[in-house]
Amino acid sequence: MPSAAANSAAVNSSPTTISSSSLPEATTLGSVNDGHSFVNAFVQDNPYFQAGFGLMVVGVGLTALRHGITLGSTALRRRMLVTLEINNKDRSYEWFLTWMARQTAAQARAQKRWAPWARSHQLSVETTVEQRKNGSSSALFKLVAGPGTHYVQYKGAWMQVKRERETKSMNMMSGTPWETVTLMTLSRDRNLFSELLTEARDIAMRGQEGKLVIHTAWGTEWRPFGQPRQKRPLQSVVLGSGVSQTIENDLKAFLDRRQWYADRGIPYRRGYLLHGPPGSGKTSFIQALAGSFSYDICVLNLSERGLADDKLFHLLSNAPERSFVLIEDIDAAFNRRVQTSEDGYQSSVTFSGFLNALDGVASGEERIIFMTTNHPEKLDPALIRPGRVDLMQLIDDATPEQSQILFDRFYRETDTPNSLPASELQKLSKRLGDVVKHEAQLGRRISMAALQGLFIRNSAKDAIASCQNFFIDRQPELKHDKH
Ligand SMILES: Nc1ncnc2c1ncn2[C@@H]1O[C@H](COP(=O)(O)OP(=O)(O)OP(=O)(O)O)[C@@H](O)[C@H]1O
């Protein structure tokens, strides 16, 4: 900002500019023979100028003070405070938000101990919706610290937590805005950051330990859906004789041969197609198998709106480590080579795009894909050729043996107060086996899901007495051999 002195200096230094022609009145008045005395008179005698000059001095002073304070506080902050920035591109972002959600809950419980200014009222809800095959859906909510400033106390140290959301740009793949969380605390507590992050990661991992994590597609990213689930024991899914073992052995052999594949330059992937009537245990088995191998499951819904060939390719090439990709009802997706959902929406995933995504880029990355269908006969041969589907396995309706094993699981192996004597239960179990065998000869079959429903609702006696009502006419499906 130019000072008054400078102004006057500019005027003084060029007295010749105040010529008699430009200031005829001044010359005529004869009061100013040179510019110097004119300016002096103007500055000293003009009250408006003096007031303006005073204001300018105050303004300059305040600006300098403000700069000084800013510089001082920045220097002080640099010396005394330490910040940590976590971006939502990083995995620890989710861990941190979950950790914060716990802190917020703990804070609500111990509100009396908290300084009122530290109470956080800025929560935001994160909802995940699971769309099931039968059209139903379920939603899960998680309350997390919303955008804004929050304060938390960790191991005795106060921290400021600022969650900021980018408004001008977003992750084009997932359609979510970029976000950052900035933690600030005193320099002397800087080590607490790594402790906090370790704790946040451990909490996230502990929640998943011994559990099955289901991921769903979110744009082109995979995100865990809901809470990790209790693993289902593999034996609880009762399949036909040797079926479970066949798939398990195949998977084990594949996992043991990574180097074998690498040495021969073969893409390290395996595709499984489980086919059979509804309710025979295809999905349950895949989930139990994933649990027993400590793998996650990535559920891919090809009818999802917004899913196009490029996104599908990206998703299949970037599934989380140690996970099965599960694509259910594959026949519904491409039975006419065009994918149409129930409400008539035509997906932009093309059949050739899907095949392309299945083949993926030839890389050493492990990829295990499970597909299920009730109608293998409708599938295009291109889809089930070796390399895309390496093992096709029929998972069928209940055989006499399967139905008896399931019966025993429900009634004989559980010691319920009103349970019948063992000999009685054994007779009922045998009767069930006979009924299943007899009905099969008449072309009538019962699904394992129907048997499970029957056993859940009834006593052993009632279940056997009424089971005949649940058989339906169904031709057995042809068995498919391993490719
Ligand atoms: N073989 C089985 N052993 C034990 N339970 C079974 C079996 N088959 C089905 N069930 C039970 O029936 C229900 C439905 O099973 P699941 O969804 O796995 O069948 P599915 O074959 O995948 O059916 P769909 O072809 O309709 O997808 C589950 O609750 C499961 O516990």
Side-chain angles (χ1 to χ4, degrees), residues 133 232 234-240 274 276-286 328-329 372-374 395-396 402 406 409-410 447-450 452-453 456:
K133 284 186 293 177
R232 179 173 182 159
L234 202 51
Q235 323 79 271
S236 77
V237 187
V238 185
L239 302 186
L274 305 192
S280 52
K282 298 177 289 297
T283 311
S284 308
F285 176 74
I286 295 164
E328 295 195 273
D329 295 331
T372 69
T373 180
N374 299 137
I395 310 285
D396 214 346
Q402 273 173 272
L406 197 69
R409 287 258 148 82
F410 268 81
S447 72
M448 289 296 277
Q452 175 186 272
I456 288 173

Side-chain angles (χ1 to χ4, degrees), residues 25 56 59 121 136 149 237 243 253 272 287 308 342 363 417 475:
E25 306 91 320
M56 192 171 66
H121 298 291
S136 69
T149 306
V237 187
V243 170
Y272 295 89
Q287 294 197 349
E342 276 164 17
S363 73
Q475 288 307 311

Side-chain angles (χ1 to χ4, degrees), residues 86 91-100 102 154 193-207:
I86 314 172
R91 267 190 92 186
S92 58
Y93 189 80
E94 279 293 315
W95 300 339
F96 177 77
L97 283 191
T98 308
W99 180 88
M100 258 304 273
R102 284 170 68 113
Y154 178 63
F193 283 157
S194 50
E195 287 178 35
L196 186 156
L197 285 179
T198 310
E199 191 176 304
R201 186 206 53 206
D202 289 351
I203 289 169
M205 294 296 155
R206 213 179 311 134

